[in-house]
């Protein structure tokens, strides 16, 4: 049920409509043989929401996903889906409500892509498994949404890992459940396809009104597309909009003990460098931006404060074609690319 709350602002009565929680997790502990990996979890996912479960490898993302999908029992706690306890659903009811794409290998090598996607209709077919017109339409729509129309007649062993992953997702879409769980769905995809796939999941939450939860260790993709993060740090899981977790300081905890850090002023990831040499950089626009990126990658700290002493100055021209001038101890050199600039800095041991 949608809950309405009233707030008075000035003389005007405002109504706030909360998005109903399709999934609620209360005091949940998950693990194996009564040994908890994660304890006292309290999480939620709303209708039409894309949730990214983010954490390091081996921290328990797959275990939590499998527990939500009822593929393994919870140690303690409660999971409610659609206002009903997960334990109270029959197998057939759950198959129409929730679907999962797992990282586990499935023996479907000699099936065609279309036959695999059609397996997603199993909760709706009759006892002999015959597809109706509506089933065929659902299969064709799923194939089109994932972009594998050109693969429908190929056997699964004839396609790439990335194409195989798309086919498995299409099978899940054909199942047409209210909630979809995906365990590392972008693991075998190249960079453009990773973003395209997560963007597709985002569109499905809106267009098909689905609740979609996907696990990933790619925080950059999650921050750009997810409505909410479930952020796993040590034995705790924090939830909230990506920006809320940044502002609260929770997101940076995922990098504790590593060489990677998150700059919450710039929204960027970078490598911690304790011994960076100071350099002064001057210029404008995108040429300055990417020159700064290159110098920071090389290990320089950019500092243009008057109080800072640095005998290395880099000036980016405002002309076309652009050029870079390095001054050091009264001498100047000009370069026609960032690569040549960086090579000169290395050769002259300016670090």
């Amino acid at each position: 049920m949608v809950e309405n709350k009233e707030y008075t602002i000035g003389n005007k009565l405002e109504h706030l409509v909360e998005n109903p929680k399709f999934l609620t997790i209360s005091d949940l502990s998950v693990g194996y043989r009564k040994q908890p990996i994660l304890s006292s979890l309290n999480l939620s996912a709303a209708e039409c929401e894309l949730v990214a479960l983010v954490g390091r490898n081996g921290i328990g993302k797959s275990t939590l996903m499998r527990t939500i999908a009822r593929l393994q029992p919870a140690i303690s706690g409660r999971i409610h889906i659609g206002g009903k306890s997960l334990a109270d659903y029959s197998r057939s009811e759950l198959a129409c409500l929730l679907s999962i794409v797992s990282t586990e290998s499935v023996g479907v090598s000699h099936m065609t892509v279309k036959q695999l996607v059609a397996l997603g209709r199993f909760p709706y077919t009759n006892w002999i498994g015959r597809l109706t017109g509506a089933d065929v339409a659902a299969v064709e729509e799923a194939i089109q949404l994932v972009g594998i129309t050109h693969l429908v007649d190929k056997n699964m062993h004839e396609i790439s890992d990335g194409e195989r992953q798309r086919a498995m997702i299409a099978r899940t879409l054909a199942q047409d459940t209210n909630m979809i769980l995906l365990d590392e769905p972008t693991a075998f995809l190249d960079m453009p396809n990773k973003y395209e796939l997560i963007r597709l999941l985002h569109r499905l939450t809106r267009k098909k009104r689905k609740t979609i939860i996907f696990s990933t260790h790619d925080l950059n993709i999650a921050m750009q597309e997810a409505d909410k993060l479930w952020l796993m740090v040590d034995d705790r899981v924090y939830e909230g909009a990506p920006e809320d977790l940044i502002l609260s300081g929770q997101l940076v905890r995922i990098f504790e003990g590593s060489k990677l850090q998150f700059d919450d002023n710039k929204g960027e990831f970078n490598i911690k460098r304790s011994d960076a040499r100071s350099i002064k950089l001057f210029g404008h626009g995108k040429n300055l931006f990417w020159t700064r990126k290159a110098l920071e990658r090389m290990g320089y700290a950019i500092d243009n404060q008057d109080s800072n002493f640095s005998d290395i100055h880099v000036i980016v021209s405002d002309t076309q074609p652009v050029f870079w001038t390095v001054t050091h101890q009264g001498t100047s050199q000009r370069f026609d690319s960032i690569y040549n600039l960086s090579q000169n800095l290395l050769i002259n041991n300016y670090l």
Side-chain angles (χ1 to χ4, degrees):
M1 171 152 323
V2 177
E3 180 181 353
N4 291 300
K5 292 186 177 180
E6 295 185 348
Y7 294 84
T8 302
I9 303 177
N11 296 320
K12 184 179 179 181
L13 188 64
E14 297 288 339
H15 295 270
L16 175 65
V17 180
E18 292 187 352
N19 197 4
K21 299 297 185 285
F22 186 72
L23 168 70
T24 57
I25 294 172
S26 306
D27 299 321
L28 184 70
S29 294
V30 301
Y32 298 89
R33 300 183 184 90
K34 298 187 177 181
Q35 293 296 319
I37 297 174
L38 299 163
S39 301
S40 303
L41 301 182
N42 293 281
L43 303 166
S44 65
E47 293 179 356
C48 310
E49 190 166 63
L50 181 63
V51 178
L53 173 59
V54 180
R56 296 183 180 183
N57 288 337
I59 200 169
K61 297 191 300 295
S62 295
T63 303
L64 177 56
M65 296 283 271
R66 287 176 57 83
T67 304
I68 296 171
R70 212 171 71 180
L71 297 177
Q72 71 179 67
I75 294 175
S76 62
R78 300 176 301 281
I79 300 174
H80 282 79
I81 301 178
K84 181 177 175 179
S85 173
L86 179 65
D88 291 339
Y89 284 101
S90 68
R91 282 182 138 186
S92 59
E93 288 174 333
L94 193 60
C96 295
L97 184 74
L98 181 152
S99 53
I100 184 167
V101 176
S102 130
T103 54
E104 297 177 0
S105 178
V106 180
V108 291
S109 296
H110 298 289
M111 276 188 175
T112 67
V113 169
K114 189 169 186 178
Q115 288 171 335
L116 173 76
V117 177
L119 289 179
R121 299 304 297 168
F122 77 91
Y124 311 102
T125 56
N126 54 34
W127 66 274
I128 59 174
R130 180 173 296 168
L131 298 180
T132 66
D135 294 322
V136 172
V139 169
E140 290 178 349
E141 181 184 23
I143 288 170
Q144 291 175 0
L145 282 171
V146 175
I148 55 171
T149 305
H150 60 296
L151 300 174
V152 290
D153 295 323
K154 287 185 174 290
N155 285 333
M156 291 296 293
H157 70 272
E158 297 176 318
I159 62 179
S160 70
D161 286 339
E163 291 168 337
R164 182 186 180 93
Q165 186 75 325
R166 284 177 170 269
M168 299 298 286
I169 292 171
R171 183 195 65 176
T172 303
L173 292 178
Q175 195 171 333
D176 195 24
T177 55
N178 296 83
M179 184 163 73
I180 301 175
L181 307 178
L182 303 104
D183 194 1
E184 297 284 358
T186 63
F188 303 111
L189 302 182
D190 57 26
M191 189 60 69
N193 282 317
K194 283 185 179 184
Y195 279 90
E196 183 181 324
L197 180 60
I198 301 304
R199 190 61 188 162
L200 167 63
L201 298 180
H202 189 277
R203 289 199 304 270
L204 288 171
T205 62
R206 273 49 171 183
K207 184 178 179 180
K208 297 293 186 179
R209 300 190 63 80
K210 295 185 183 297
T211 300
I212 300 180
I213 304 169
F214 71 99
S215 65
T216 182
H217 56 267
D218 194 327
L219 185 56
N220 197 43
I221 290 178
M223 287 176 58
Q224 292 192 45
E225 294 294 340
D227 300 300
K228 176 186 280 187
L229 298 185
W230 289 354
L231 182 69
M232 303 183 76
V233 181
D234 298 327
D235 60 347
R236 293 194 61 184
V237 183
Y238 303 93
E239 72 169 3
E243 297 78 10
D244 285 329
L245 295 179
I246 292 170
L247 293 173
S248 68
Q250 301 296 353
L251 186 137
V252 298
R253 295 192 59 197
I254 200 172
F255 304 113
E256 290 177 353
S258 75
K259 293 292 185 181
L260 193 65
Q261 63 185 6
F262 181 76
D263 186 332
D264 54 12
N265 290 311
K266 298 179 180 178
E268 297 177 351
F269 304 93
N270 51 62
I271 302 295
K272 296 176 184 175
R273 303 183 189 276
S274 58
D275 56 350
R277 181 171 179 178
S278 180
I279 194 170
K280 288 193 173 185
L281 176 64
F282 306 91
H284 301 92
K286 68 178 181 181
N287 294 321
L288 174 67
F289 176 84
W290 289 109
T291 303
R292 174 186 288 271
K293 285 283 190 183
L295 293 173
E296 289 176 339
R297 171 173 51 80
M298 293 175 65
Y300 287 102
I302 311 301
D303 189 351
N304 285 7
Q305 298 297 319
D306 292 338
S307 61
N308 171 59
F309 174 77
S310 175
D311 57 358
I312 306 173
H313 293 193
V314 175
I315 303 169
V316 185
S317 76
D318 292 328
T319 61
Q320 287 297 333
V322 72
F323 60 86
W324 291 259
T325 302
V326 176
T327 63
H328 179 247
Q329 295 181 347
T331 63
S332 295
Q333 289 180 282
R334 179 182 291 189
F335 305 95
D336 61 359
S337 69
I338 293 176
Y339 175 78
N340 289 334
L341 165 68
S342 63
Q343 288 299 298
N344 176 265
L345 295 174
L346 288 172
I347 290 170
N348 287 285
N349 194 29
Y350 288 160
L351 274 177

